Amino acid sequence: MSETFVVIGGDAAGMSAASKVKREDPEREVIVFEKGEWVSYAACGMPYYVKGAVDDLNDLVTVTPEEFQEERDVDLRTGAEVVGIDLDAQTVTVETGDETDEQPYDDLLVATGASAIEPPFEGLGLEGVFTIHDMDEADVIENYVTDRDPETAAIVGGGYVGIEMAEALSAHGVDVHLYEMLPHVLQPFGEAVAEVVEEHLREQGVELHLETAVSGFVGDERVDGVELEDETVAADIAIVGVGVAPNTDLAEEAGIELGPTGAIATDEYGQTNDENVYAAGDNAEATHVVTGEPDHVPLALTANRAGRAIGQTITGAPTPTGGTAGTAIVKAFDLGAARTGIIDEDRAREAGFDPVSVTISASTRAHYYPDGAELTVTLVANRESGELLGGTVVGREGAKRIDTVATALTADMTVTELQNADLAYAPPFSPVWDPILTAAKVLAGKLE
Ligand SMILES: Cc1cc2nc3c(=O)[nH]c(=O)nc-3n(C[C@H](O)[C@H](O)[C@H](O)COP(=O)(O)OP(=O)(O)OC[C@H]3O[C@@H](n4cnc5c(N)ncnc54)[C@H](O)[C@@H]3O)c2cc1C
């Protein structure tokens, strides 16, 4: 009899694994339980749907449920929530509507993702107060904006989702107030990037309230204000984007161990403390390529890649899920900001390094070629070894150049090796010395 691979969670990690297993071993039974109705969707596209840059929410779906069932032969069950895992019996308990069933597995992947954090705010249940994590929420927000025509928005949290939603709501002519309790937005990107982004947000008409904690919302059924420490400010729509927490309850209750970050602990193949159970995506840890420590970076590529690797491992070709450098990029109106690895000296010291860093600004194109933009690049290295630790870039174009830095980190390159990389040049694309090479050159000089 063929073996059964069961997946809990039908998005990036889960469907990547399911598809890979079916491709490598078409005989194997692959069953995916997804509690919602959406599968294989790009949550990353939701702010652009709300903005109006994407016409139809269905456009965010990569592979439809019908394609999974009919073309990939995956037994996909939507509206089916797994409520228990029995590690000894190797079964999961599944609730579908009023029915409860036990499903045996040979291998199990827990790919339950993460959930938006809901702070203990007063008035969180008022109409017009939203988090944005699930696809249905994007639809509800879009409808609310279109039907109610709000004048003023309160965005709570200056992370990448808050900034993307600031842009999305501004596009509808809403006055956006963004509240961040820390001194700067985009905490993982560091101060140097944040200051450039903040200036740009203000230029775009966003009212930034830094070091300002929100304590709740007020209104009579529908939100009409946001409560701060000593005042209430008008708001007729509010988006709470204060981060996500990994969905680990199901795994933890079954006896699957969590790691130091609070996400599910896994080895380099995504295996948990139970040899038949794997975890991948926003609910699981990955190893940081610079520190070698477990980290929790809930981003899409990590989830897709880990799911695919686990699919290969299960079908007989052990494949590491790959490390994370925490590489991330965000669009803030006309700016791009990106980060990878350890992005400033303070964080490098905390991680036990003796850092040297440099920040340079250079044009993204040859100085004589039209429409170049200034790109600010920060690189951080370990003084003794010259090993590259990470960096950031921010500018009106070229933020994807962070990928060069991420590649160098993955390859354990020194700053000198990065400086000697043979990067492409032609005037419309870069100066002869690409901004990343210029930063590496200056940093190498500081290391001598
Ligand atoms: C607004 C927004 C913007 C984003 N933008 C970016 C971006 O620009 N770049 C980037 O890299 N990442 C971005 N992300 C993050 C990215 O979407 C996630 O990293 C990715 O979706 C993680 O995939 P996953 O499969 O681990 O989890 P999820 O996508 O969360 O999927 C988990 C699935 O499991 C299901 N599930 C949970 N529990 C159960 C259960 N008990 N039984 C059955 N089903 C269950 C859930 O319903 C869900 O469908 C964004 C996320 C959001 C919300």
Side-chain angles (χ1 to χ4, degrees):
M1 219 176 81
S2 77
E3 294 192 353
T4 303
F5 176 45
V6 168
V7 176
I8 313 173
D11 194 25
M15 295 322 284
S16 297
S19 299
K20 190 67 193 164
V21 166
K22 264 293 172 188
R23 218 171 299 133
E24 297 300 320
D25 181 4
E27 296 308 310
R28 194 169 304 221
E29 187 178 27
V30 175
I31 305 174
V32 179
F33 295 110
E34 165 54 53
K35 67 179 180 182
E37 294 303 326
W38 295 93
V39 298
S40 188
Y41 48 88
C44 321
M46 291 192 296
Y48 303 104
Y49 170 70
V50 174
K51 182 180 177 185
V54 175
D55 289 339
D56 189 332
L57 202 52
N58 287 296
D59 292 346
L60 303 185
V61 173
T62 312
V63 183
T64 64
E66 295 70 34
E67 284 166 336
F68 276 115
Q69 281 152 341
E70 286 155 26
E71 291 169 24
R72 302 195 182 185
D73 195 23
V74 171
D75 184 352
L76 172 63
R77 322 251 182 105
T78 54
E81 180 170 3
V82 175
V83 294
I85 304 170
D86 186 331
L87 298 179
D88 295 329
Q90 289 189 214
T91 58
V92 295
T93 307
V94 189
E95 283 181 3
T96 314
D98 295 335
E99 276 184 30
T100 303
D101 295 300
E102 301 288 312
Q103 171 62 52
Y105 64 82
D106 293 288
D107 294 295
L108 176 69
L109 172 62
V110 184
T112 47
S115 297
I117 293 172
E118 294 191 356
F121 287 162
E122 292 274 324
L124 209 57
L126 287 169
E127 200 187 335
V129 179
F130 306 100
T131 55
I132 177 159
H133 190 271
D134 302 335
M135 290 282 274
D136 294 328
E137 289 173 318
D139 222 9
V140 175
I141 296 171
E142 203 273 339
N143 286 336
Y144 194 87
V145 171
T146 315
D147 297 347
R148 306 265 189 219
D149 209 9
E151 283 180 16
T152 308
I155 294 190
V156 185
Y160 75 88
V161 170
I163 286 178
E164 288 170 356
M165 288 307 292
E167 181 182 331
L169 295 180
S170 293
H172 290 274
V174 183
D175 285 335
V176 174
H177 290 245
L178 192 151
Y179 301 90
E180 168 55 62
M181 63 190 284
L182 297 174
H184 291 287
V185 298
L186 288 181
Q187 192 273 345
F189 292 67
E191 208 175 306
V193 169
E195 281 174 358
V196 178
V197 172
E198 285 160 10
E199 191 184 331
H200 185 64
L201 290 174
R202 290 190 180 106
E203 278 167 15
Q204 295 289 333
V206 175
E207 290 275 347
L208 272 186
H209 305 262
L210 301 175
E211 294 185 273
T212 306
V214 166
S215 56
F217 304 101
V218 291
D220 181 13
E221 285 187 21
R222 194 181 308 159
V223 65
D224 57 31
V226 51
E227 279 189 317
L228 311 178
E229 199 181 357
D230 43 21
E231 61 176 326
T232 302
V233 182
D236 34 18
I237 181 170
I239 311 284
V240 180
V242 296
V244 296
N247 293 329
T248 54
D249 289 355
L250 184 65
E252 206 181 359
E253 279 161 22
I256 294 166
E257 284 170 13
L258 307 187
T261 68
I264 299 174
T266 58
D267 70 5
E268 64 173 320
Y269 298 100
Q271 199 173 52
T272 67
N273 57 307
D274 184 291
E275 64 173 343
N276 301 109
V277 181
Y278 296 78
D282 282 7
N283 59 2
E285 292 184 335
T287 304
H288 197 282
V289 297
V290 179
T291 64
E293 298 292 327
D295 204 351
H296 178 233
V297 182
L299 289 174
L301 178 63
T302 317
N304 279 279
R305 182 167 40 210
R308 184 174 188 276
I310 289 165
Q312 277 173 286
T313 298
I314 285 171
T315 49
T319 306
T321 51
T324 177
T327 309
I329 187 163
V330 58
K331 178 176 181 300
F333 293 84
D334 299 333
L335 270 189
R339 54 102 55 226
T340 189
I342 302 178
I343 52 99
D344 60 28
E345 293 196 11
D346 287 346
R347 293 174 218 219
R349 263 182 227 105
E350 267 170 41
F353 297 100
D354 176 14
V356 189
S357 70
V358 73
T359 298
I360 62 108
S361 289
S363 175
T364 53
R365 306 182 191 193
H367 67 91
Y368 50 84
Y369 196 88
D371 299 331
E374 191 177 86
L375 193 71
T376 301
V377 181
T378 297
L379 291 181
V380 186
N382 193 25
R383 189 184 304 273
E384 206 181 299
S385 60
E387 169 201 6
L388 189 70
L389 299 177
T392 57
V393 297
V394 59
R396 283 178 188 260
E397 71 167 12
K400 265 291 267 180
R401 279 175 161 102
I402 200 68
D403 289 345
T404 306
V405 185
T407 306
L409 287 183
T410 308
D412 268 338
M413 285 166 76
T414 63
V415 175
T416 308
E417 285 167 337
L418 174 59
Q419 180 197 338
N420 290 333
D422 182 20
L423 302 190
Y425 156 67
F429 300 103
S430 79
V432 178
W433 286 85
D434 185 89
I436 299 292
L437 294 182
T438 300
K441 195 167 56 161
V442 178
L443 185 54
K446 276 181 96 171
L447 283 163
E448 276 166 11

